[in-house]
C-alpha cells in the first residue's frame, strides 16, 4: 500500500520489508506465525527480569547447540540473530584488531541495561572544555584548516564556495583533533620529539573522508540543514554536492596512497567500505522494530567508530609503537566513537531543533531506530510506541507522541548508561600510554563526549 512520506515527500510502500526479514521472524520466539494469520502481533510486555531471562535463554540455547562446532563456524551459524553484516577482511594480519572487535560487539545485550524511570539518570561527568582539550594540538589544527580549503578550492575554483561551506559550517573537527592527540601521545611513548608529516597528512585525510561522508549523507537524506547552516546540496544543488563528496573521497585516497604505508592504507581503506556497509545496514532496517541492540551497535561502528578507531591506530603506526599500543589505540577510538554516536542519538530526543541545527526526532521520523527507541520498546509503553512506528507516523502528532514515549519509557536514561559503559572502555584503553598532556586531553575527550548531554 503506497502512502506519502510526511518527512521526505516521497511515496513508499507500507509493510515492505527487506529480503530475509519475514513477518514470522519478527514474532516472539514462543509465538507461531501460522497461529495468527493476518493478525498484527504486539510485542509482549515483559518485566526487566523476564526479558533478561528470555534473552539469556535464547543465547544459551544457541551456544549449546554449537558447542561442538569449530570456533570459526560458531559465530557464522548464529549470524542472523547477532550481526547485520560481516564484511570480509582482506588481510587479517593487518586489521586484526578490527576483526577482533566483531566478537566483542556481538555481546551487546539489551537486557543488560536496566530500564529505570526517566528521572533516575546517570550523573554528569566533570565539565570538559574543548579549548582546554585541544590546546596541545591548536597549532596543528590551524595548519590543517588552511590546507583543507586549499586542497578543494585550489584544484577546482568551482568548488571554492562549497569548500568554505563544508569546512567552515561550524563543527569542532574532533576527528582530526583526535588524530593529532593520538599522534602526540604515542610519539611520547616512543621518544619522538615531534609528530611527522605522515601524522599531519593522516589528520587531513580523516577530515576529508568524514566530510565527504556527511555531504553524501545529506544528499541521501535530502537534508537541508546541518549545524544550523544550509547543506551543500541545499545551497549548491545535488549535482555539486555529489561531486564535492566524490572529489573529497578521491583526494583522500590519493593522499592515502602517498603515505606509502601498507598497514595504514588497508586500515583507512576499510573505513570507506565500512561507511557503505553502515548505510546499507541502516536502510535495510528502516522502521524495523525487530532490530537488535547488537545490530544497532554494529551499524554505529561502521558509520562512526570505524574511522576514529582506524585513525587512532594509524597514528600509532606512524609513531612506531608496539602492536599492543596500536591495538589499544584502535580500542580507544572504537569505544569513543560508539559512545559519541549513542550520545548523538540521545540528543535527537533531548535537544530542541535550534540546539540540534535540524528538526527534533529526525532520525525516528525517517525510520532510523536508535538506542533510546530500542530500550523504550521493552518498557510498559512499548506497545503504543510499536504501533506508532509501524504506522510510520502518518497522523499529525504521532511523531511528537513517540518522542514523549521514548523518554517516558526510560529509553533515554538507558541509552545514557550504554554510552557511559563505552566511555569507560575507551578510558581503560589509554592505560598503555605514559603520562603526557596529549594523553590527558584524550581522557578529556571522553568526558567531553558524555558532557554533550548537559
Amino acid at each position: 500500500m503506497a502512502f506519502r512520506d510526511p518527512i521526505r515527500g516521497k511515496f513508499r510502500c507500507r509493510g515492505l520489508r527487506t529480503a530475509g526479514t519475514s513477518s514470522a521472524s519478527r514474532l516472539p520466539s514462543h509465538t507461531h506465525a501460522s497461529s495468527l494469520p493476518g493478525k498484527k502481533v504486539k510485542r509482549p510486555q515483559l518485566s526487566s527480569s523476564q526479558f533478561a531471562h528470555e534473552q539469556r535463554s535464547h543465547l544459551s540455547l544457541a551456544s549449546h547447540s554449537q558447542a561442538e562446532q569449530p570456533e570459526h563456524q560458531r559465530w557464522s551459524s548464529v549470524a542472523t540473530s547477532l550481526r547485520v553484516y560481516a564484511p570480509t577482511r582482506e588481510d587479517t594480519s593487518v586489521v586484526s584488531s578490527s576483526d577482533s572487535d566483531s566478537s566483542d560487539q556481538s555481546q551487546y545485550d539489551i537486557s543488560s541495561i536496566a530500564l529505570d524511570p526517566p528521572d533516575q539518570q546517570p550523573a554528569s561527568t566533570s565539565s570538559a572544555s574543548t579549548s582546554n582539550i585541544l590546546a596541545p594540538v591548536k597549532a596543528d589544527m590551524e595548519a590543517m584548516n588552511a590546507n583543507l580549503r586549499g586542497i578543494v578550492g585550489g584544484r577546482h575554483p568551482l568548488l571554492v564556495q562549497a569548500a568554505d561551506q563544508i569546512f567552515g559550517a561550524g563543527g569542532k573537527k574532533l576527528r582530526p583533533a583526535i588524530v593529532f592527540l593520538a599522534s602526540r601521545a604515542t610519539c611520547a611513548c616512543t621518544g619522538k620529539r615531534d609528530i611527522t608529516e605522515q601524522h599531519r597528512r593522516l589528520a587531513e585525510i580523516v577530515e576529508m573522508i568524514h566530510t565527504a561522508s556527511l555531504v553524501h549523507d545529506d544528499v541521501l537524506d535530502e537534508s537541508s540543514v546541518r549545524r544550523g547552516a544550509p547543506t551543500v546540496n541545499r545551497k549548491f544543488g545535488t549535482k555539486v554536492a555529489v561531486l564535492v563528496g566524490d572529489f573529497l573521497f578521491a583526494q583522500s585516497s590519493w593522499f592515502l596512497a602517498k603515505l606509502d604505508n601498507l598497514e595504514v592504507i588497508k586500515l583507512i581503506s576499510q573505513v570507506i567500505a565500512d561507511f557503505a556497509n553502515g548505510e546499507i545496514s541502516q536502510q535495510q532496517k528502516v522502521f524495523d522494530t525487530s532490530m537488535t541492540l547488537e545490530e544497532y551497535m554494529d551499524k554505529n561502528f561502521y558509520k562512526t567508530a570505524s574511522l576514529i578507531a582506524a585513525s587512532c591506530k594509524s597514528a600509532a603506526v606512524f609513531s612506531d609503537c608496539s602492536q599492543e599500543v596500536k591495538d589499544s589505540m584502535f580500542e580507544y577510538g572504537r569505544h569513543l566513537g560508539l559512545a559519541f554516536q549513542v550520545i548523538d542519538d540521545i540528543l535527537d530526543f533531548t535537544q530542541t531543533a535550534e540546539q540540534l541545527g535540524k528538526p527534533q526526532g529526525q532520525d525516528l521520523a525517517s525510520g532510523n531506530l536508535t538506542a533510546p527507541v530500542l530500550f523504550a520498546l521493552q518498557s510498559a509503553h512499548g506497545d503504543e510506541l510499536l504501533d506508532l512506528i509501524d504506522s510510520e507516523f502518518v497522523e499529525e502528532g504521532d511523531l511528537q507522541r513517540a518522542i514523549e514515549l521514548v523518554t517516558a519509557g526510560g529509553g533515554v536514561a538507558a541509552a545514557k548508561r550504554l554510552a557511559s559503559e563505552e566511555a569507560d572502555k575507551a578510558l581503560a584503553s589509554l592505560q598503555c600510554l605514559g603520562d603526557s598532556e596529549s594523553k590527558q586531553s584524550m581522557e578529556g575527550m571522553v568526558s567531553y563526549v558524555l558532557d554533550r548531554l548537559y
Side-chain angles (χ1 to χ4, degrees), residues 20 31 41 51 72 81 83 87 97 100 114 158-159 167 173-175 267 275 290 356 407 428:
T31 306
V41 178
F51 183 77
H72 69 280
S81 63
R83 303 288 292 174
S97 61
S100 65
L158 172 67
L159 302 181
F167 292 125
K173 297 182 174 63
L174 295 181
R175 287 158 185 81
L267 280 166
F275 279 153
S290 70
L356 290 168
T407 301

Side-chain angles (χ1 to χ4, degrees), residues 124-437:
S124 169
T125 57
S126 58
S127 178
S129 166
T130 53
S131 59
N132 291 336
I133 292 171
L134 302 182
V137 296
K138 181 179 179 181
D140 300 326
M141 293 292 291
E142 290 173 350
M144 183 204 70
N145 287 335
N147 288 341
L148 286 175
R149 282 187 171 85
I151 288 170
V152 177
R155 291 285 298 274
H156 297 283
L158 172 67
L159 302 181
V160 171
Q161 287 185 323
D164 287 336
Q165 180 73 7
I166 57 182
F167 292 125
K172 299 179 176 63
K173 297 182 174 63
L174 295 181
R175 287 158 185 81
I178 292 170
V179 172
F180 282 128
L181 290 172
S183 298
R184 292 196 173 278
T186 52
C187 277
C189 286
T190 55
K192 295 183 182 295
R193 293 185 177 182
D194 199 3
I195 62 176
T196 66
E197 283 303 311
Q198 289 173 310
H199 285 121
R200 298 184 186 281
R201 189 62 74 187
L202 174 64
E204 294 171 3
I205 290 169
V206 166
E207 181 62 8
M208 281 191 284
I209 291 174
H210 172 61
T211 303
S213 71
L214 294 183
V215 173
H216 280 178
D217 276 353
D218 288 340
V219 172
L220 288 172
D221 298 338
E222 299 180 3
S223 299
S224 59
V225 178
R226 180 177 288 276
R227 297 166 182 162
T231 57
V232 175
N233 51 299
R234 171 68 181 273
K235 189 170 183 178
F236 301 101
T238 298
K239 289 183 179 179
V240 171
V242 171
L243 288 172
V244 168
D246 289 348
F247 177 80
L248 288 172
F249 273 129
Q251 198 67 34
S252 65
S253 298
W254 170 242
F255 286 151
L256 181 61
K258 290 178 68 176
L259 289 177
D260 198 27
N261 186 295
L262 184 59
E263 184 174 7
V264 171
I265 289 172
K266 289 190 175 184
L267 280 166
I268 303 300
S269 295
Q270 181 62 50
V271 170
I272 299 176
D274 285 346
F275 279 153
N277 294 333
E279 192 62 44
I280 292 170
S281 298
Q282 180 168 301
Q283 294 304 316
Q284 288 178 328
K285 291 293 183 178
V286 169
F287 290 107
D288 186 353
T289 53
S290 70
M291 182 170 65
T292 65
L293 186 63
E294 302 91 80
E295 291 171 331
Y296 164 76
M297 294 298 278
D298 283 347
K299 183 258 296 180
N300 284 354
F301 173 77
Y302 290 135
K303 293 196 66 174
T304 302
S306 175
L307 177 60
I308 302 175
S311 61
C312 286
K313 182 174 182 178
S314 296
V317 171
F318 288 137
S319 298
D320 297 325
C321 292
S322 65
Q323 189 63 45
E324 177 187 359
V325 173
K326 289 189 289 186
D327 290 344
S328 293
M329 289 300 95
F330 185 94
E331 290 303 299
Y332 169 80
R334 179 165 77 90
H335 293 298
L336 179 67
L338 291 174
F340 185 94
Q341 187 57 56
V342 173
I343 295 295
D344 237 28
D345 293 339
I346 292 171
L347 294 178
D348 198 44
F349 293 94
T350 60
Q351 290 193 336
T352 64
E354 291 74 18
Q355 292 172 313
L356 290 168
K358 61 179 182 179
Q360 186 188 36
Q362 188 175 50
D363 284 339
L364 180 57
S366 62
N368 179 22
L369 307 187
T370 56
V373 178
L374 297 180
F375 285 119
L377 281 170
Q378 308 305 324
S379 72
H381 299 282
D383 276 351
E384 184 181 355
L385 180 58
L386 178 64
D387 287 340
L388 291 171
I389 294 172
D390 281 347
S391 74
E392 302 189 9
F393 315 113
V394 292
E395 301 293 337
E396 184 177 355
D398 280 358
L399 179 61
Q400 186 57 44
R401 176 56 179 164
I403 292 173
E404 294 169 357
L405 290 174
V406 168
T407 301
V412 169
K416 288 179 181 180
R417 283 187 284 276
L418 175 62
S420 295
E421 290 178 3
E422 293 299 324
D424 288 342
K425 293 175 183 177
L427 288 174
S429 299
L430 294 176
Q431 294 178 0
C432 64
L433 299 178
D435 290 335
S436 69
E437 189 178 8

